[in-house]
Amino acid sequence: LKKTLSLITTCLVLLTAKSKKTLAKPGVKNVVLVEGVRTPFLQSGTTYADLMPHDLARAALQGLLHRTGFPKEAVDYIVYGTVIQEVKTSNVAREAALGAGFSDRTPAHTVTMACISSNQAMTTAVGLIAAGQCDAVVAGGVEFMSDVPIRHSRKMRKTMLSLNKAKTLGARLSLLGSIRLAHLSPELPAVAEFSTAETMGHSADRLAAAFGVSRQEQDEFALRSHTLAKKAQDEGLLSDIVGFKVPGKDIVSKDNGIRPSTMEQMAKLKPAFVKPHGTVTAANSSYLTDGASAVLIMSEEKALAMGYKPKAYLRDFVYVSQDPKDQLLLGPTYATPKVLERSGLTLADIDVFEFHEAFAGQILANLKAMESDWFAQNCMGRKAKVGAPPLDKFNMWGGSLSLGHPFAATGCRLVTTVAHRLKKEGGQYGLVAACAAGGQGHAMVIEAYPQ
Amino acid sequence: MAGLRALGVLSRITVRHRYTLFSARTHVNYEVKGDVAVVRINDPTSKVNTLSVHMQKEMAEVLGEVWSNDAVKSAVLISSKPGCFIAGADINMIQACKSAEEVTYISQEGQKMFEKIEKSPKPIVAAINGSCLGGGLEFAIACQYRVATKSKKTVLGTPEVLLGLLPAAGGTQRLPKMVGLPSAFDMTLTGRNIRADKAKKMGLVHQLVDTLGPGLKGPEERTMEYLEEVAIECARGIVNKKIPLTKEKGMMQKVQDYVMSFPFVRNQIYNTVQKKVMKQTKGLYPAPLNIIDCVKSGVEQGSDAGYLAESQNFGKLAMTTESKALIGLYHGQVACKKNRFGVPEKEVKTLAILGAGLMGAGIAQVTVDKGIHTIMKDTTLEGLNRGHQQVYKGLNDKTKKKSITSFERDTTLSNLTGQLDYSGFQNADMVIEAVFEDIAIKHKVIKEVEAVIPPHCIFASNTSALPIKDIAAASKRPEKVIGMHYFSPVDKMQLLEIITTDKTSKDTTASAVAVGLKQGKIIIVVGDGPGFYTTRCLAPMLAEAVRVLQEGVDPKKLDSLTTGFGFPVGAATLADEVGIDVAAHVAEDLGKAFGPRLGGGNPELLKTMVEKGFKGRKTGKGCYVYQPGLKSKEVNMELNDILESFKLTPNPAVSSDSDVQYRLVSRFVNEAVMCLQEGILANPVEGDIGAVFGLGFPPCLGGPFRFVDTFGADKLVEKMRRFEDVYGNQFTPCPLLLDHAKDPSKKFHK
């Protein structure tokens, strides 16, 4: 009976016509995704440990060139995202592009917007093309958590800077003499939200509690993510990966963080942030990851003229922001209805959902928020809920929980995955949504390119 | 069989029927969730929960049922009110008692109930959100386990001492065991509120719960549910032995315990604390000494002696005039935190302040962090800079104390605009002027301001003595003009004196009161006249103080006489703080208005001091010499020459220490009563509140009016007559005071 029921529903879904045939707008250039690639995402401190961020970025950019065979000089512009900046390569976009053998005549800039940095890179590219400034833009993002800038304390920095200016030996010696033990304690990059001094995991735990998401639900969702990722990996669906020869080490060609466990194993873990009664654990959170991604975005006409078959149209997108304390990770809830309205679509029109999974608790809280009239009315100023995406269309090839989450590289992975899933599953519209530190969020509608 | 079953049903019905009959409980209820009983406290008649006779009775019933129900293994105690766990014992219950024995009995009942809870065979977890004070805290610490939310509203403390009482339901006995002697003394003797994070560190609560944002319900509602869920888990954990009730002691704790095991060390602590209390209270407040006594009895002679001392001392304290005075002030304070003029038509969203001096910046400081856009205007960049720095420092100090984050400090400051011109005044809803006390300048300012502000905007003057109607004379719309007299330092002094003229509209008053309440002030609304209420009471006392100085009493002696009477700040120090120039100015103005009655010392003395640059603390010299960085201050020796030239010969008949004290106080009190008589004051309550919170009238006396009630108007009049014989009409009792002296049944406070 269950089977027939689901069959009927599938038929019904297939029969229901989309509310719109295409999202092309008169007078607006069609922007397309030609190709998207990424390095394998590795847990930080593993095979990539001795690299630098621009090395990873280079690998993704080279992989893109290699896979598309795109002439380097035809790239008009490069936009790249990163979150934790390596101070030596503060404009990592430029360093990576030069290192990857792009033309030194192609300008490149770096953007940052926490976990939606590469989304910002892509939408910047879309804007450049739509405005007629460029025809072919490479966008992407890199995150390298195996090495992060750890600074001297402010006191020590001040002493060292004064030392530069000290003219006499006596002045230098007296400055050196002023160094105390306290000067030597290092300053780690902030893991906490600057405005609230709360770590993201702690906020996620509170968010899960606010929506009554249980530990069990979170563990189940994390297990689902890992199981689906494993399946996708085994079936060879993660075709956006380009192999990477790490100097002095083997060629890396697979993500290494996918590890389907059992509910019993996961239940043993202690909460990581809110102790002792919290629900967010290491197993139901995304982990520190190294990785880079890159996409080639073009105007449709130019792509076709150059003989490329685009993978998908990049359509409407929105950025949202809300209270960084209590609604830090609710970006998808706010962004989804907004982008659907812009496109004139309903939730039912979407065939493929790819949401960034920061924490299982965060995803489940977002799903509950989207299903709640109370939340829509009291917090979003909407008349009614928009509804939550059906799970059978949701992150079907794994997500950030299992594949890993190199902050600034995740956005391109989501968009490329939507394009690949639309093709594989025969859908027409896909939706990408993500949350980011600072209480911000993003969503984009993607339309399959006609076969 | 069927019959039997029917009988069973029937009996169940009757049982339930009877149950509902008996359990028409209104304040305490419970539900059983699995094996945990969730006991909810909710006083339906009030915004806060208090431990009343009724509440205690229902609590005893409910706990009895919990204990006898075999399905229940543990209990959670929680309030249904999001902002309040239990705010303390019902003060009216104590006030209603006629004798010390009755009060002692109340204490003993409380002790017994909490002892039962302490010895409960089933663990009880107190789930605390909001205020957990006094009896509420004593209740919580009798429970086996405490979980509290990190909400800013969650505060724990024993404020009984502030009412001249002591924690009398086991508080003086359990606290030392729980947090150690030093912390227990700190809590019970200062009565200060302790935030949740600090309480956790002290060992007062076991676990903290985060506050939640909006989810599927409102933030407060869901936070309460979450607290309950966590508390239930704790209760189960205790039953399952997963959560140990005895915490393993750290090294520091062990060392401390070892040190404390020597009677010598403990005695040293008692002595130190006792000395400190005596120094601060001058022995005028019995409660702190009694608290030390109770703690000592418990620790040294065992808990039986401790509990007995606690209940008996409590009974005694409740009958003291000091406690009655303090409770009176508490009630008055509550009354003065209400807006009896209704809701203003327009909420003040933008407030402009003229003058960025000490007062102007102080007003900005208490306004800007209440979400009101604040404009601070000065005439010079230096002045503006100084004012801005004052506001920044106030906020930054809060950041250092961790009561706000640096981020909150910055966002708050973004609400403050500093400027030299009148731009943006077209959006102001209220303008408060804090410019120099000169009627000509005030007139110039009011004209300039009225040219730029919108029609609904209120003009308030922060003058301390100039009559508002004189200032309003230059206004085109006197109905929008009002006086808002703040006290320095604005962020510390709780009082705001609002002055209305007969032209001030009711809505203007309502709006001024609303702003003051938002600023966290206790408000008295008084009629217009020279010096209004507070300045008018202070002036004769300061005039008398000047005479006392002229009669050869040195400033230090004068200070010790006034503080010995209960004033928190001595008269000479107060003059320095207010500013000798301001005092001289006020003395001259009020002298003109009221004639010789306000005289006393020679006003020329103050003027000479001002001429020499002895303007008080702000110039580094006044009655005392102030050196930056030095806390102790020395008498200004250069003052001696001036005093010498103004020397008067004291009359030995009225110059004993006690006489000097009463000369100072009686003039203050007489002027206060006269203000009531003339209708400047609306009622004696506001008079008491204004005197205590604005001028530092001894809190243990409860304010000038309560002082007259307690001391006896006849006795006061008798003293004044004696002074009158020597000094003349400055000591003539006013008619209203004489009325009270004639008829002892007449009291200002019922």
Side-chain angles (χ1 to χ4, degrees):
Chain A
L1 182 75
K2 224 178 188 177
K3 262 188 186 166
T4 22
L5 261 178
S6 71
L7 205 68
I8 292 168
T9 10
T10 330
C11 290
L12 272 175
V13 169
L14 287 175
L15 281 173
T16 340
K18 300 276 175 199
S19 45
K20 265 188 166 180
K21 285 222 170 73
T22 173
L23 296 176
K25 287 177 192 162
V28 177
K29 270 193 189 176
N30 280 328
V31 180
V32 294
L33 173 77
V34 177
E35 184 58 272
V37 299
R38 64 179 175 95
T39 68
F41 287 174
L42 301 192
Q43 297 176 46
S44 62
T46 58
T47 316
Y48 295 151
D50 298 327
L51 299 175
M52 278 180 68
H54 74 284
D55 292 328
L56 273 178
R58 233 163 16 100
L61 290 169
Q62 271 173 335
L64 184 70
L65 282 183
H66 187 251
R67 189 168 281 185
T68 53
F70 199 76
K72 290 167 188 169
E73 60 284 357
V75 176
D76 295 322
Y77 203 90
I78 296 165
V79 197
Y80 222 69
T82 195
V83 179
I84 309 276
Q85 280 192 326
E86 163 62 51
V87 280
K88 283 185 192 162
T89 56
S90 61
N91 186 2
V92 69
R94 179 65 173 162
E95 312 306 339
L98 287 174
F102 278 76
S103 162
D104 58 7
R105 301 295 171 93
T106 305
H109 83 261
T110 303
V111 293
T112 188
M113 201 175 178
C115 304
I116 49 178
S117 293
S118 61
N119 305 77
Q120 185 54 261
M122 287 184 290
T123 54
T124 303
V126 170
L128 285 170
I129 295 167
Q133 293 281 318
C134 302
D135 277 313
V137 181
V138 169
V142 62
E143 207 61 49
F144 188 67
M145 297 302 290
S146 291
D147 180 33
V148 291
I150 296 172
R151 300 199 292 183
H152 272 298
S153 67
R154 182 80 187 244
K155 277 183 191 156
M156 188 65 173
R157 277 166 14 227
K158 204 173 171 185
T159 313
M160 289 161 102
L161 289 171
S162 316
L163 209 54
N164 272 344
K165 289 182 200 146
K167 297 226 161 52
T168 63
L169 182 69
R172 276 182 217 134
L173 282 177
S174 88
L175 271 171
L176 285 173
S178 73
I179 295 174
R180 299 279 172 275
L181 210 60
H183 285 59
L184 298 175
S185 63
E187 210 173 80
L188 295 163
V191 285
E193 198 69 17
F194 183 75
S195 61
T196 60
E198 185 183 26
T199 62
M200 197 179 271
H202 196 278
S203 190
D205 205 314
R206 287 197 304 116
L207 186 73
F211 284 92
V213 179
S214 70
R215 166 79 183 266
Q216 165 129 2
E217 285 174 282
Q218 293 179 45
D219 285 355
E220 275 167 4
F221 187 85
L223 187 56
R224 170 193 190 269
S225 182
H226 279 280
T227 313
L228 290 175
K230 182 85 175 92
K231 189 162 166 275
Q233 191 177 49
D234 291 347
E235 289 172 7
L237 297 174
L238 306 178
S239 59
D240 52 343
I241 295 178
V242 289
F244 180 19
K245 168 72 182 99
V246 181
K249 287 178 184 161
D250 292 336
I251 293 180
V252 184
S253 54
K254 275 169 86 176
D255 303 325
N256 74 356
I258 306 171
R259 50 205 161 137
S261 173
T262 61
M263 286 299 285
E264 293 71 35
Q265 281 295 328
M266 292 170 87
K268 282 183 191 159
L269 284 180
K270 285 199 170 142
F273 302 99
V274 176
K275 293 160 188 173
H277 52 266
T279 52
V280 172
T281 69
N284 59 36
S285 314
S286 57
Y287 48 88
L288 295 183
T289 314
D290 301 337
S293 57
V295 293
L296 175 60
I297 299 175
M298 297 180 76
S299 64
E300 184 183 22
E301 40 183 310
K302 180 79 173 189
L304 294 176
M306 288 180 76
Y308 286 100
K309 168 116 202 252
K311 283 180 187 274
Y313 292 109
L314 302 182
R315 298 299 194 189
D316 295 288
F317 61 85
V318 294
Y319 288 92
V320 293
S321 58
Q322 60 281 339
D323 170 21
K325 182 162 198 293
D326 289 332
Q327 306 194 2
L328 181 69
L329 305 170
L330 286 177
T333 301
Y334 283 87
T336 301
K338 219 171 158 185
V339 80
L340 286 174
E341 263 161 27
R342 267 188 89 87
S343 304
L345 297 178
T346 66
L347 203 69
D349 290 327
I350 305 294
D351 306 294
V352 164
F353 292 92
E354 282 293 328
F355 278 36
H356 160 51
E357 301 168 344
F359 301 87
Q362 165 260 333
I363 283 289
L364 293 166
N366 272 284
L367 296 185
K368 292 199 181 196
M370 292 165 91
E371 265 305 333
S372 161
D373 279 325
W374 187 92
F375 191 83
Q377 285 154 5
N378 290 283
C379 297
M380 297 170 70
R382 306 182 70 87
K383 284 203 185 83
K385 65 184 181 182
V386 66
L391 274 184
D392 58 355
K393 295 179 181 173
F394 189 87
N395 294 7
M396 292 307 286
W397 295 356
S400 298
L401 286 173
S402 46
L403 301 169
H405 174 39
F407 306 140
T410 293
C412 290
R413 176 187 69 75
L414 294 172
V415 168
T416 309
T417 307
V418 166
H420 289 175
R421 275 184 61 199
L422 283 172
K423 195 170 178 197
K424 169 97 177 150
E425 295 165 16
Q428 192 188 357
Y429 295 124
L431 179 85
V432 161
C435 59
Q440 312 211 76
H442 164 76
M444 182 189 259
V445 171
I446 293 151
E447 184 180 344
Y449 200 79
Q451 296 297 313
Chain B
M1 223 17 210
L4 248 177
R5 205 175 296 158
L7 202 70
V9 171
L10 200 71
S11 72
R12 214 176 300 156
I13 288 170
T14 49
V15 165
R16 195 189 287 166
H17 186 66
R18 199 173 55 197
Y19 178 83
T20 45
L21 250 187
F22 273 87
S23 76
R25 283 192 286 256
T26 49
H27 289 56
V28 186
N29 269 300
Y30 76 106
E31 68 176 302
V32 178
K33 291 194 167 178
D35 54 357
V36 183
V38 180
V39 181
R40 296 180 210 282
I41 315 160
N42 190 8
D43 183 342
T45 61
S46 166
K47 269 194 224 164
V48 294
N49 293 322
T50 45
L51 288 177
S52 57
V53 177
H54 191 91
M55 174 88 76
Q56 280 175 342
K57 186 179 140 276
E58 290 193 4
M59 181 60 74
E61 276 174 33
V62 165
L63 288 177
E65 285 173 34
V66 166
W67 282 320
S68 62
N69 185 341
D70 288 338
V72 172
K73 300 271 182 290
S74 57
V76 165
L77 182 71
I78 194 166
S79 158
S80 303
K81 296 185 197 293
C84 176
F85 176 70
I86 300 173
D90 183 3
I91 301 179
N92 298 329
M93 171 174 83
I94 296 158
Q95 278 188 299
C97 294
K98 296 271 178 301
S99 68
E101 288 70 33
E102 270 181 74
V103 183
T104 300
Y105 177 74
I106 291 181
S107 160
Q108 282 167 343
E109 286 301 297
Q111 288 176 347
K112 269 185 221 156
M113 175 160 141
F114 293 162
E115 192 185 358
K116 266 197 205 163
I117 287 165
E118 187 176 37
K119 294 190 174 143
S120 166
K122 300 173 182 179
I124 302 175
V125 177
I128 303 161
N129 185 44
S131 41
C132 172
L133 301 172
L137 180 83
E138 294 179 284
F139 198 160
I141 60 173
C143 294
Q144 280 67 34
Y145 203 79
R146 283 160 296 286
V147 185
T149 66
K150 291 183 194 165
S151 161
K152 279 194 174 169
K153 283 184 187 164
T154 300
V155 286
L156 296 88
T158 48
E160 286 90 342
V161 69
L162 302 175
L163 299 179
L165 299 169
L166 55 78
T172 64
Q173 304 305 303
R174 285 192 188 92
L175 275 175
K177 285 180 200 152
M178 193 163 283
V179 297
L181 266 186
S183 296
F185 276 134
D186 179 48
M187 281 180 73
T188 50
L189 294 177
T190 64
R192 68 191 175 91
N193 284 345
I194 295 166
R195 287 200 300 259
D197 49 349
K198 179 84 199 297
K200 169 93 187 334
K201 269 187 209 140
M202 287 169 67
L204 208 52
V205 300
H206 298 86
Q207 222 184 97
L208 295 181
V209 173
D210 288 293
T211 54
L212 302 180
L216 302 176
K217 289 172 186 169
E220 275 193 336
E221 192 186 352
R222 179 59 198 144
T223 300
M224 288 302 286
E225 278 183 9
Y226 183 49
L227 171 66
E228 186 179 312
E229 286 163 20
V230 173
I232 289 176
E233 277 316 301
C234 286
R236 292 209 175 104
I238 296 167
V239 173
N240 300 338
K241 307 258 186 273
K242 275 189 187 148
I243 297 177
L245 284 180
T246 46
K247 212 177 138 193
E248 193 139 320
K249 282 181 181 168
M251 196 56 202
M252 275 305 288
Q253 189 62 43
K254 278 181 189 161
V255 171
Q256 206 176 338
D257 285 357
Y258 178 71
V259 174
M260 286 294 173
S261 66
F262 295 103
F264 161 74
V265 176
R266 293 199 303 271
N267 273 325
Q268 203 60 33
I269 292 179
Y270 300 137
N271 288 337
T272 317
V273 173
Q274 179 115 8
K275 265 187 212 145
K276 213 171 162 191
V277 165
M278 281 308 288
K279 194 176 166 219
Q280 281 181 1
T281 65
K282 318 273 177 206
L284 294 169
Y285 295 81
L289 299 171
N290 275 304
I291 290 172
I292 299 173
D293 184 42
C294 293
V295 171
K296 201 171 163 183
S297 305
V299 175
E300 305 302 328
Q301 296 162 43
S303 52
D304 284 349
Y307 280 111
L308 189 67
E310 186 182 271
S311 62
Q312 287 182 341
N313 278 324
F314 185 59
K316 269 190 261 166
L317 283 177
M319 293 300 128
T320 57
T321 54
E322 290 84 358
S323 171
K324 286 186 173 147
L326 291 170
I327 290 176
L329 285 175
Y330 169 77
H331 286 308
Q333 204 180 334
V334 172
C336 291
K337 288 240 175 198
K338 286 183 185 140
N339 193 344
R340 60 181 158 98
F341 299 89
V343 181
E345 277 167 33
K346 202 165 188 307
E347 194 191 342
V348 172
K349 290 196 176 127
T350 301
L351 188 135
I353 298 159
L354 303 175
L358 215 57
M359 289 305 278
I363 299 168
Q365 206 177 328
V366 296
T367 311
V368 71
D369 59 348
K370 309 301 184 306
I372 299 174
H373 176 220
T374 310
I375 299 174
M376 190 162 64
K377 182 200 171 299
D378 203 275
T379 48
T380 66
L381 205 55
E382 294 77 46
L384 197 58
N385 187 34
R386 199 216 60 82
H388 208 276
Q389 180 58 30
Q390 185 185 332
V391 180
Y392 174 81
K393 188 176 177 294
L395 287 167
N396 198 40
D397 287 350
K398 281 190 186 172
T399 311
K400 280 187 193 152
K401 280 187 212 148
K402 292 195 175 156
S403 64
I404 60 169
T405 66
S406 63
F407 199 78
E408 283 166 322
R409 175 197 67 201
D410 298 346
T411 44
T412 301
L413 269 180
S414 70
N415 243 341
L416 178 72
T417 319
Q419 57 192 46
L420 298 173
D421 57 13
Y422 284 108
S423 61
F425 272 56
Q426 70 274 14
N427 297 322
D429 301 305
M430 179 183 279
V431 175
I432 301 179
E433 67 81 13
V435 300
F436 194 70
E437 292 271 67
D438 178 331
I439 192 80
I441 298 179
K442 305 254 183 202
H443 280 172
K444 179 172 166 275
V445 156
I446 200 169
K447 281 181 188 145
E448 278 177 15
V449 167
E450 285 189 353
V452 285
I453 53 174
H456 73 271
C457 182
I458 291 164
F459 184 91
S461 172
N462 173 52
T463 174
S464 55
L466 296 176
I468 303 301
K469 67 172 185 325
D470 294 356
I471 296 174
S475 168
K476 281 184 281 182
R477 39 186 185 185
E479 74 282 359
K480 293 282 181 196
V481 179
I482 196 164
M484 289 173 86
H485 178 200
Y486 291 86
F487 293 77
S488 189
V490 181
D491 59 322
K492 300 263 158 42
M493 296 295 282
Q494 288 176 283
L495 190 74
L496 168 63
E497 183 181 29
I498 289 181
I499 306 105
T500 59
T501 70
D502 43 10
K503 289 194 180 134
T504 308
S505 75
K506 193 181 159 216
D507 186 60
T508 300
T509 313
S511 195
V513 174
V515 166
L517 288 177
K518 218 178 211 182
Q519 290 167 333
K521 298 290 168 202
I522 302 170
I523 295 168
I524 61 169
V525 180
V526 304
D528 195 19
F532 327 123
Y533 168 62
T534 50
T535 310
R536 195 173 145 182
C537 291
L538 193 60
M541 183 164 127
L542 281 183
E544 195 59 31
V546 171
R547 170 153 52 203
V548 170
L549 286 176
Q550 282 179 279
E551 287 179 351
V553 176
D554 86 324
K556 273 209 165 153
K557 172 78 179 170
L558 174 61
D559 271 357
S560 83
L561 285 176
T562 26
T563 53
F565 199 76
F567 282 91
V569 178
T573 309
L574 183 68
D576 273 3
E577 293 289 338
V578 171
I580 304 294
D581 52 338
V582 177
H585 212 82
V586 168
E588 197 183 338
D589 281 356
L590 294 190
K592 272 183 211 156
F594 294 107
R597 186 167 58 75
L598 248 71
N602 191 339
E604 290 304 314
L605 170 62
L606 294 176
K607 279 192 189 161
T608 315
M609 282 178 78
V610 175
E611 277 160 23
K612 291 234 172 183
F614 304 154
K615 292 185 188 174
R617 181 187 274 280
K618 55 189 166 189
T619 54
K621 272 181 191 173
C623 297
Y624 294 94
V625 179
Y626 299 89
Q627 279 159 327
L630 268 184
K631 253 195 162 176
S632 65
K633 50 184 195 259
E634 288 305 317
V635 173
N636 183 3
M637 294 317 274
E638 295 169 71
L639 184 64
N640 285 352
D641 301 339
I642 306 176
L643 286 177
E644 197 58 42
S645 61
F646 287 98
K647 199 168 169 59
L648 294 174
T649 321
N651 182 331
V654 289
S655 296
S656 72
D657 282 1
S658 161
D659 278 342
V660 171
Q661 286 177 327
Y662 279 102
R663 271 162 56 191
L664 292 164
V665 173
S666 63
R667 291 194 64 183
F668 186 120
V669 172
N670 189 41
E671 204 62 35
V673 176
M674 203 179 275
C675 283
L676 182 66
Q677 177 189 306
E678 289 175 9
I680 298 275
L681 278 175
N683 53 56
V685 172
E686 292 194 1
D688 281 347
I689 293 292
V692 171
F693 290 95
L695 305 173
F697 193 89
C700 56
L701 302 177
F705 294 96
R706 190 170 296 276
F707 169 69
V708 173
D709 282 355
T710 332
F711 186 75
D714 47 347
K715 275 163 78 188
L716 187 65
V717 165
E718 194 188 304
K719 278 190 192 286
M720 288 180 76
R721 292 288 186 210
R722 207 152 53 74
F723 303 146
E724 193 183 11
D725 288 344
V726 177
Y727 296 111
N729 73 345
Q730 287 149 8
F731 284 96
T732 308
C734 71
L736 183 59
L737 190 61
L738 287 174
D739 277 359
H740 278 247
K742 268 179 226 141
D743 181 359
S745 71
K746 274 196 178 168
K747 297 275 179 200
F748 291 111
H749 293 281
K750 291 273 140 42

